[in-house]
Amino acid sequence: DGGITQSPKYLFRKEGQNVTLSCEQNLNHDAMYWYRQDPGQGLRLIYYSQIVNDFQKGDIAEGYSVSREKKESFPLTVTSAQKNPTAFYLCASSLQGTRGYTFGSGTRLTVV
Amino acid sequence: SQELEQSPQSLIVQEGKNLTINCTSSKTLYGLYWYKQKYGEGLIFLMMLQKGGEEKSHEKITAKLDEKKQQSSLHITASQPSHAGIYLCGADMFPYGQNFVFGPGTRLSVLP
């Protein structure tokens, strides 16, 4: 079955460390997105990519980096420059030009 | 302030009761999407509305978009514990294609 897989489900990071969250989809979707979810604030867009080897900053890109070397994969790196990284991170994908996103099950990142 | 407002913020109902969740914007919406999220998981796409006055139903859930395309309601008939979760609206706003935003979500609990 086609879908979008995020790993790991839970991640703990020490302050000052970079950490990479994985997102893989086998839906043949062109576009992929990373969102951050905090209580009471809904989802905020970090980065998005509409084609391979191209990506754009979202509303809260500072302290994050991404790559899109393959259509299926869109990993997110949370760098030590991100001041408040503890959050629930959601990856999504969609066909080009549509908004009926398919979401992954999320990664909960905690800085200890 | 949020570009999309949702009300109520949270809702507790007895099983079998009807309920309505609202999503409101001060701007015209080009497309309004409803998603459901179970705690700690990804979002599941429910319905999409584009035309003013449009109404769609799926099982016991009905979504409407008003004529001005600035407000949408999600109505659940005869609620069940399986309806519990967080309901989020998302919308394409001007300028189209770049500015997709999510509401903060409404947390629904259904008591058996």
Side-chain angles (χ1 to χ4, degrees):
Chain A
D1 288 338
I4 184 165
T5 302
Q6 288 186 243
S7 62
K9 190 167 181 65
Y10 298 97
L11 189 57
F12 295 88
R13 189 197 90 175
K14 291 183 179 179
E15 284 191 17
Q17 286 182 338
N18 294 353
V19 65
T20 298
L21 283 60
S22 171
C23 179
E24 304 275 336
Q25 55 99 359
N26 60 2
L27 299 164
N28 201 32
H29 283 174
D30 301 296
M32 296 187 75
Y33 310 81
W34 274 106
Y35 285 92
R36 170 178 171 143
Q37 187 177 32
D38 296 283
Q41 294 194 43
L43 276 66
R44 292 183 290 169
L45 182 63
I46 305 173
Y47 269 98
Y48 65 100
S49 168
Q50 294 179 321
I51 56 172
V52 175
N53 292 324
D54 188 48
F55 47 83
Q56 283 78 42
K57 293 181 179 179
D59 300 320
I60 55 165
E62 184 175 353
Y64 300 98
S65 66
V66 293
S67 63
R68 187 87 186 276
E69 297 176 0
K70 298 186 299 182
K71 188 175 184 178
E72 301 81 16
S73 179
F74 192 41
L76 173 74
T77 297
V78 184
T79 74
S80 57
Q82 169 49 236
K83 300 302 181 187
N84 185 22
T86 295
F88 189 54
Y89 291 88
L90 286 161
C91 179
S93 68
S94 70
L95 288 169
Q96 190 65 262
T98 69
R99 301 293 200 182
Y101 296 165
T102 300
F103 279 85
S105 57
T107 293
R108 185 167 299 280
L109 172 63
T110 303
V111 174
V112 297
Chain B
S1 64
Q2 302 258 8
E3 292 191 82
L4 282 180
E5 302 282 348
Q6 283 187 240
S7 63
Q9 188 174 18
S10 63
L11 191 55
I12 303 174
V13 300
Q14 202 72 38
E15 182 176 359
K17 297 294 186 183
N18 302 338
L19 63 104
T20 300
I21 297 168
N22 294 300
C23 176
T24 305
S25 173
S26 59
K27 301 177 182 178
T28 300
L29 307 173
Y30 287 93
L32 191 287
Y33 299 73
W34 282 102
Y35 293 85
K36 178 186 175 185
Q37 181 183 29
K38 291 198 172 181
Y39 182 74
E41 297 182 12
L43 279 65
I44 298 171
F45 171 70
L46 296 175
M47 277 177 269
M48 184 265 283
L49 305 165
Q50 279 191 308
K51 300 177 182 177
E54 187 175 6
E55 179 176 322
K56 288 186 178 178
S57 293
H58 177 66
E59 297 180 343
K60 295 185 178 180
I61 300 177
T62 300
K64 301 178 185 179
L65 183 62
D66 75 337
E67 291 289 346
K68 290 186 177 180
K69 295 169 62 176
Q70 289 184 300
Q71 181 170 329
S72 177
S73 61
L74 187 81
H75 184 77
I76 299 177
T77 304
S79 58
Q80 301 170 352
S82 61
H83 287 127
I86 301 172
Y87 289 82
L88 296 96
C89 60
D92 274 309
M93 306 178 82
F94 183 83
Y96 177 77
Q98 298 299 319
N99 211 12
F100 190 85
V101 298
F102 284 91
T106 294
R107 184 179 294 272
L108 171 64
S109 300
V110 180
L111 303 178

